[in-house]
Amino acid sequence: MIEIKNLTKVYKTKKGEVKGVDNVSLTVKEGEIFGIVGYSGAGKSSLLRCINLLERPTSGSITVDGTDLTSLKGEQLRSSRLKIGMIFQHFYLISQKTVYENISFSLKAANYPKDQVKQRVEELLKMVGLSDKRDVYPSQLSGGQKQRVGIARALANNPKVLLCDEATSALDPTTTKSILNLLKKINKELNITIVLITHEMDVVKEICSRMAIMQDGKVIEDGSVYDIFANPQAALTKEFIESVVTLEIPEVILNGCEGPIVKVTFRGKVAGEGVISDTLQQFNLKGNFLHGSIEYIQELPLGIFIMELKGQKQEIEKALQYIENRAAQVEVLRNGL
């Protein structure tokens, strides 16, 4: 659906050239929700704006639904952009126009058949749950309602791709969840491919199937959300995940431990099984649980446990091997053997 190859975007500043996007290659599959994560300045917004050519890349190519957008200009480019809707963090609604007028404006600008505009706007208002707000102005809406208008406007011309630029960053947690549920509904019912940029791993965990981590204009890690949560490789990725799955244990607790401290990661169905209790019984060990949680990502369980093992060295070594054979990963955080 979206294929980005060797994309680079260079900005010219008073201090010289700056690479906003540095040789990025990514593929987004049709009908999936793909997350791009990074801190401010990582290049994720620049990359997103390149996808619909709001920013023209310095080099590289962007193919959307089989069309290389970087090869288009003028009317051909404008026509192809109609396949790509976009929603923004700050909504960008026209304050002097009603909800109905904000949505219909997008249709009129795209030369949508005049006799079908009213019906299309009514359909969109129903889809985003704002039929009762048809004639009110943006100032009378909550933040979540404004974003729903933004989503309806982005969907007006039946796009195949929806780009979301920090779409929930200005919203409270409850409203964020409702907007994410709406995006999931749109993705499922309309089969619209969604690319979502954010600095919030909770958002990615909730809605995305695959993701990429960006730093200094580069993609430093990408893959399925589940796999990245289960086994992050880059230091920045681990930092992001720890903002959602807290694994920090106070030093005073660690100092009181005498045996080895291990982190065990269980993937899939095995996360709900009693592997650790079986291990402690089978190898005559005692376990001091320091931390444990089961996260659900794309409805699949991911179990993460940190514990101190107490017992004979030989038994502990056998137990670690036994756990490793049943788990995705065993990491010795501190070797007390």
Side-chain angles (χ1 to χ4, degrees), residues 6 21 23 32 76 101 104 114 124 130 142 144-145 149 168 193 197 207 214 231 240 256-257 266 293 302 325 330 333:
N6 306 119
V21 182
N23 195 34
E32 77 173 340
Q76 284 185 319
E101 291 168 336
S104 63
K114 291 182 180 180
L124 292 163
L130 288 179
S142 67
Q145 290 169 338
V149 177
T168 60
T193 303
I197 69 168
I207 195 173
M214 289 192 71
N231 189 25
F240 271 117
C257 297
F266 294 106
S293 68
L302 176 67
N325 290 338
V330 176
L333 301 180

Side-chain angles (χ1 to χ4, degrees), residues 14-73:
K14 292 179 180 179
K15 296 182 179 179
E17 293 186 342
V18 176
K19 283 187 178 180
V21 182
D22 189 358
N23 195 34
V24 166
S25 294
L26 283 173
T27 298
V28 179
K29 301 174 185 176
E30 183 175 1
E32 77 173 340
I33 304 179
F34 190 94
I36 301 174
V37 182
Y39 289 124
S40 296
K44 57 189 189 299
S45 291
S46 293
L47 177 60
L48 196 76
R49 288 195 296 270
C50 283
I51 292 176
N52 62 359
L53 260 65
L54 285 178
E55 299 269 8
R56 186 166 281 275
T58 305
S59 62
S61 65
I62 299 171
T63 301
V64 178
D65 197 27
T67 301
D68 181 0
L69 297 187
T70 52
S71 68
L72 304 180
K73 293 182 180 179

Side-chain angles (χ1 to χ4, degrees), residues 37 39 201-202 205 211 213 221 225-247 263 295 297 302 304:
V37 182
Y39 289 124
M201 286 296 280
D202 269 326
K205 175 174 169 283
M211 66 182 292
I213 307 286
E221 192 164 353
V225 173
Y226 190 93
D227 288 344
I228 286 176
F229 265 78
N231 189 25
Q233 300 298 307
L236 181 63
T237 308
K238 293 176 182 178
E239 184 178 316
F240 271 117
I241 290 172
E242 286 173 3
S243 70
V244 178
V245 183
T246 304
L247 297 175
K263 173 186 170 185
E295 302 287 331
I297 302 168
L302 176 67
I304 302 174

Side-chain angles (χ1 to χ4, degrees), residues 272-302:
E273 298 178 354
V275 176
I276 292 178
S277 60
D278 291 347
T279 303
L280 296 179
Q281 292 178 18
Q282 183 168 336
F283 294 97
N284 192 28
L285 298 174
K286 291 184 178 179
N288 179 20
F289 283 88
L290 306 175
H291 187 284
S293 68
I294 296 179
E295 302 287 331
Y296 288 87
I297 302 168
Q298 296 293 303
E299 299 182 353
L300 290 173
L302 176 67

Side-chain angles (χ1 to χ4, degrees), residues 8 22-23 27-28 61 71 100 107 111 120 125 133 138 144 209 217 224 226 230 244-245 269 272 281 289 312-313 327:
T8 296
D22 189 358
N23 195 34
T27 298
V28 179
S61 65
S71 68
Y100 178 93
L107 293 166
N111 296 317
R120 180 59 179 157
L125 286 171
K133 302 297 181 182
S209 56
S224 78
Y226 190 93
V244 178
V245 183
K269 186 173 67 174
Q281 292 178 18
F289 283 88
Q312 297 295 319
K313 177 181 177 180

